[in-house]
Amino acid sequence: QRFSPDAVCFLKELLCRLVQARFLGREQSLLSRCSFSRIRVLDSTAFSLPMQFSEGYAGPVSSGVKVQWEYDLLSGDFLYGAVREGKENDASYAKETMGNILPNDLFIRDLGYFSTKFLKEADQCGAFYVTRFKSNMKIYRKENDVFHEIDPVQLGEKLLPGKSMEVLDIYLGV
């Protein structure tokens, strides 16, 4: 009863303005030097609700809500915000964002959003991503039409502290 549609719009606008005010300071000047068109950060938070809301907001156990937010670090704009049932997983929302991928977008997402279908779509659109991948995934390189598995632990052991390595043209599979 307290969260009418007008109240929800008000709270969304308030949250957007607070986060924009926080990020549009000195951090913004550093980000403006990036070659990405957008730096898209997507995450969610979930919380339980009283049982009286279980009919409209089913959670993993009883009643719950999940709030999805996507934010562009470069412009300070919120790209999307949604309130969903708490039982919905993050990967199902990730599928909904596939229609608005632009060239040179950088996606930063955690493991809950991992989807090889999304990664393929982003790559085909000329976008980039930073993500963890599922532990059962394997990494391959293709040489002379033969796929060779790469052991990321073995690669990491060769690096000196503070150094990094770029491995181009990899394939993911199970």
Side-chain angles (χ1 to χ4, degrees):
Q1 291 174 345
R2 292 181 185 152
F3 289 99
S4 66
D6 289 338
V8 171
C9 285
F10 171 75
L11 289 174
K12 280 184 181 179
E13 183 65 23
L14 182 64
L15 182 60
C16 288
R17 288 183 187 206
L18 287 170
V19 173
Q20 286 173 339
R22 167 65 180 100
F23 284 110
L24 291 178
R26 66 179 185 273
E27 296 90 352
Q28 191 64 25
S29 64
L30 295 173
L31 293 174
S32 65
R33 293 183 238 160
C34 293
S35 59
F36 300 111
S37 56
R38 298 183 290 185
I39 299 177
R40 299 172 62 166
V41 179
L42 172 63
D43 206 356
S44 69
T45 188
F47 53 92
S48 298
L49 293 174
M51 283 302 296
Q52 65 201 45
F53 296 104
S54 62
E55 190 173 312
Y57 290 100
V61 176
S62 60
S63 179
V65 118
K66 186 171 269 195
V67 180
Q68 296 278 352
W69 284 100
E70 187 171 23
Y71 182 75
D72 176 12
L73 282 173
L74 291 179
S75 68
D77 293 335
F78 277 95
L79 302 174
Y80 190 78
V83 177
R84 305 276 176 83
E85 286 189 313
K87 66 181 180 181
E88 183 179 330
N89 66 28
D90 291 337
S92 64
Y93 172 74
K95 293 174 188 170
E96 294 178 25
T97 65
M98 288 177 45
N100 63 5
I101 300 171
L102 297 178
N104 294 317
D105 275 353
L106 172 63
F107 293 88
I108 300 175
R109 297 181 170 178
D110 68 18
L111 185 58
Y113 296 96
F114 184 85
S115 159
T116 54
K117 186 176 180 180
F118 174 82
L119 295 178
K120 184 176 183 178
E121 182 74 20
D123 185 55
Q124 289 174 346
C125 292
F128 303 89
Y129 36 82
V130 175
T131 184
R132 291 179 51 204
F133 60 91
K134 295 182 178 180
S135 60
N136 67 338
M137 298 296 293
K138 298 195 182 297
I139 304 170
Y140 299 92
R141 272 197 94 182
K142 188 175 180 182
E143 296 173 15
N144 300 324
D145 293 328
V146 177
F147 289 96
H148 301 280
E149 186 175 347
I150 296 173
D151 181 357
V153 173
Q154 215 174 42
L155 285 177
E157 289 172 348
K158 296 176 184 178
L159 292 176
L160 296 172
K163 298 296 179 183
S164 63
M165 173 188 303
E166 184 173 359
V167 181
L168 300 175
D169 301 320
I170 64 165
Y171 296 83
L172 299 176
V174 285

